[in-house]
Amino acid sequence: MSGGLLVAGTTSDAGKSVVTAGICRWLVRRGVKVAPFKAQNMSLNSFVTRGGAEIGRAQAMQAQAARVEPSVLMNPVLLKPGGDRSSQVVLMGKPVGEMSARGYHGGRQEALLGTVVDCLEQLRGTYDAVICEGAGSPAEINLRRTDIVNMGVARAAGFPVLVVGDIDRGGVFASFFGTTALLSPEDQSLIAGYLVNKFRGDVSLLEPGLDMLRGLTGRRTYGVLPYAHGLGIDEEDGLRVSMRGTVRESVVTPPHGEDVLRVAVCAVPLMSNFTDVDALAAEPGVIVRFVDRAEELADADLVVVPGTRGTVKALAWLRERGLAEALRRRAAEGRPVLGICGGFQVLGERIEDDVESRAGLVEGLGLLPVRVRFGREKVLERPVGSALGEPVEGYEIHHGVAEVNGGEPFLDGCRVGSVWGTHWHGSLESDAFRRAFLGEVARAAGRRFVPAPDTSFEALREEQLDRLGDLIEEHADTDALWRLIETGAPAGLPFIAPGAPPTPAPDQAPGTPVGLGHAVVVATEETP
């Protein structure tokens, strides 16, 4: 077998990432050597490969679903938003600069198509099948000319396209039809059919609509996936809305000891790698909430200040909302605080930033004896070490270099009393260390919480990936999917009017709204 498939979506968050992972897990369980691929990803949730390359964390999760080592070939272009007007462009795992929409779409994106196709061809030469994930919607007509992630990739590779729709949002039939009808005849010839995601209820009530959709488009539906609670799979993008009251989904199990532990995560702007707290949420009796108000820290046993793409902006946000003062009070009272990466940096004495925010010298919260200076070179590493007497692994993604001038050593950072800080993402996935850390938190918080002795985060993640594979195997027409991957889109698929509108002129005046990836930004001059 040698083939592939592109999983597109009617919208962002339709379920492309989890469907791609599910198909990868289903295929590898059938003995197929499979790899995931996403040409261009816009995400603040990233990962470092063993080769020291930064890729989207969703692709790392999909690689685990496929039971292969994550590779930069699986995500050659990563865009990391730094605000409304620009993103950091990470090419082949390394940052190449900040770029505005004007700079990116003014020929730069099209120039990357060769790199994207080369990476895809290398994967196709190594694996039996490559399952590609699109971005946003393939019917974003303002982006088609420079598209290198949806139909641009499908056309270059000759891959069939499966369009995923989130029925939980409503309007899924119109979304399927409209997505198809806004594409050119050449693109429509690759739209093989549809997959309904997050369905609740009796499928028999949906089937007449699916039959009518096939009559209108000439395309079949390859499956109806039920709504699945508590998947806890690594997400591509940070949570886009206010985190207040949002609870991180996890398996609902009673605490191993007498008490629960309450963890509050400060929902800082441009929050990155918020999945660091997933390992906490996986522990029986640990409740993880994202918060954005000072009063919500009052009953927390542990407060986590997570990573961020905008350290200085996050620091200002903490001060504006009274969270900075609440963190100072916690530290003075000996109540636990953990800062990770950018969160570690804001807990220090000062930040010298002429790179990310260009704000110069900024005073930190002063909770740790640390001074941070931002360098132009990004640190991308996979460190291994120990803390609290237990082995720890993690990964680092940061421009800020920390000078630690006191405290107890803690994972390249330091600890002062009940305040910890480290640049290491993913450290809490090390089970023995996580249990030791939660034990320290419980003692400092005065809670009779006892970490469960047998929680394996790796095993829980594997269970979730198997659940995704089960969703595909049990609720999709896998024989038809197999044929699609192996032989391509069916011949003779009908054209649905009106098709794609005329392609807009390539030149855009500064200030014209355009798209970057699947997030709308405003075109400005390129920044270094």
Side-chain angles (χ1 to χ4, degrees):
M1 176 183 180
S2 178
L5 174 71
L6 187 134
V7 178
T10 57
T11 62
S12 296
D13 292 335
K16 300 182 293 294
S17 295
V18 294
V19 168
T20 300
I23 293 175
C24 286
R25 178 49 59 103
W26 159 64
L27 285 173
V28 77
R29 292 196 306 206
R30 294 190 64 167
V32 177
K33 190 178 179 183
V34 58
F37 178 77
K38 185 161 186 173
Q40 173 189 294
N41 197 344
M42 176 172 273
S43 179
L44 289 172
N45 203 18
S46 60
F47 181 76
V48 179
T49 69
R50 296 202 180 278
E54 185 179 10
I55 65 173
R57 190 165 174 100
Q59 280 60 67
M61 175 270 291
Q62 291 161 356
Q64 184 171 355
R67 295 177 180 153
V68 296
E69 185 68 29
S71 162
V72 70
L73 296 175
M74 298 171 184
N75 180 209
V77 183
L78 174 64
L79 305 178
K80 303 191 73 174
D84 293 335
R85 294 176 177 268
S86 67
S87 291
Q88 182 180 70
V89 180
V90 179
L91 178 62
M92 296 302 293
K94 304 296 181 183
V96 294
E98 295 284 327
M99 196 169 290
S100 67
R102 176 181 176 180
Y104 192 64
H105 284 277
R108 300 290 183 90
Q109 187 180 32
E110 290 174 283
L112 294 175
L113 183 59
T115 300
V116 164
V117 171
D118 181 63
C119 290
L120 180 55
E121 287 305 307
Q122 289 187 60
L123 291 175
R124 294 181 74 179
T126 305
Y127 295 90
D128 299 327
V130 180
I131 308 302
C132 305
E133 179 189 346
S137 163
E140 290 172 344
I141 53 180
N142 57 317
L143 302 180
R144 181 60 186 94
R145 180 181 61 83
T146 57
D147 172 41
I148 64 169
V149 64
N150 288 307
M151 301 311 299
V153 163
R155 288 267 291 273
F159 278 178
V161 178
L162 182 69
V163 181
V164 179
D166 180 356
I167 198 170
D168 201 48
R169 295 182 176 190
V172 73
F173 294 118
S175 297
F176 283 144
F177 182 87
T179 296
T180 308
L182 280 174
L183 301 177
S184 69
E186 295 81 4
D187 286 347
Q188 285 194 27
S189 68
L190 296 175
I191 302 293
Y194 313 111
L195 185 75
V196 176
N197 191 30
K198 297 183 184 178
F199 180 73
R200 308 173 192 251
D202 186 345
V203 175
S204 66
L205 299 176
L206 185 66
E207 288 171 348
L210 301 179
D211 291 340
M212 287 185 275
L213 181 67
R214 185 165 190 171
L216 288 167
T217 67
R219 291 159 173 84
R220 60 166 299 164
T221 298
Y222 283 79
V224 178
L225 306 186
Y227 195 103
H229 292 276
L231 282 174
I233 293 297
D234 293 348
E235 297 169 67
E236 180 175 280
D237 302 311
L239 304 179
R240 295 188 178 95
V241 296
S242 168
M243 298 296 109
R244 186 161 52 83
T246 300
V247 179
R248 194 74 179 142
E249 283 192 271
S250 59
V251 178
V252 180
T253 52
H256 188 71
E258 297 180 48
D259 283 348
V260 299
L261 274 186
R262 294 174 175 83
V263 178
V265 184
C266 296
V268 296
L270 299 173
M271 181 168 52
S272 62
N273 290 75
F274 64 92
T275 46
D276 280 333
V277 300
D278 283 355
L280 296 178
E283 283 286 348
V286 177
I287 301 167
V288 177
R289 299 176 69 246
F290 291 90
V291 303
D292 59 6
R293 298 195 303 202
E295 57 268 31
E296 293 176 298
L297 304 190
D299 66 345
D301 301 305
L302 169 67
V303 174
V304 177
V305 186
T308 172
R309 173 82 166 87
T311 301
V312 171
K313 182 180 291 187
L315 184 56
W317 181 88
L318 290 168
R319 287 181 168 132
E320 289 166 3
R321 290 177 172 261
L323 288 159
E325 188 56 38
L327 288 170
R328 287 195 183 97
R329 287 196 301 269
R330 287 186 67 88
E333 294 166 0
R335 303 176 66 198
V337 176
L338 172 64
I340 302 174
C341 200
F344 165 42
Q345 295 167 8
V346 305
L347 298 180
E349 296 170 348
R350 71 181 192 186
I351 299 167
E352 187 180 344
D353 182 9
D354 295 318
V355 176
E356 188 176 80
S357 68
R358 302 184 183 182
L361 190 62
V362 179
E363 293 300 314
L365 298 186
L367 304 184
L368 293 174
V370 174
R371 296 182 177 185
V372 175
R373 181 183 55 80
F374 273 68
R376 293 195 176 276
E377 294 297 318
K378 181 183 281 191
V379 177
L380 296 169
E381 295 180 353
R382 290 280 293 270
V384 176
S386 63
L388 303 179
E390 302 293 349
V392 190
E393 295 184 16
Y395 57 100
E396 295 187 52
I397 307 171
H398 55 93
H399 284 277
V401 178
E403 177 189 331
V404 180
N405 299 307
E408 300 176 40
F410 177 73
L411 299 180
D412 94 345
C414 66
R415 169 189 181 178
V416 174
S418 291
V419 179
W420 293 267
T422 178
H423 274 132
W424 291 23
H425 294 291
S427 62
L428 294 167
E429 296 178 18
S430 298
D431 296 326
F433 164 71
R434 183 181 63 254
R435 287 192 280 270
F437 176 72
L438 289 175
E440 291 268 329
V441 168
R443 282 189 289 275
R447 295 287 186 187
R448 291 173 294 182
F449 170 85
V450 178
D454 55 355
T455 301
S456 167
F457 185 74
E458 181 71 15
L460 289 172
R461 188 189 293 264
E462 278 295 306
E463 288 175 15
Q464 301 291 52
L465 293 172
D466 275 332
R467 286 182 65 194
L468 292 182
D470 292 343
L471 284 174
I472 297 298
E473 194 162 340
E474 295 169 11
H475 300 282
D477 186 337
T478 52
D479 288 340
L481 269 181
W482 182 276
R483 289 193 298 272
L484 194 62
I485 293 167
E486 192 171 30
T487 63
L493 292 169
F495 171 72
I496 309 301
T503 304
D507 294 324
Q508 296 265 7
T512 302
V514 296
L516 182 60
H518 56 276
V520 175
V521 298
V522 177
T524 60
E525 294 296 331
E526 183 176 344
T527 54

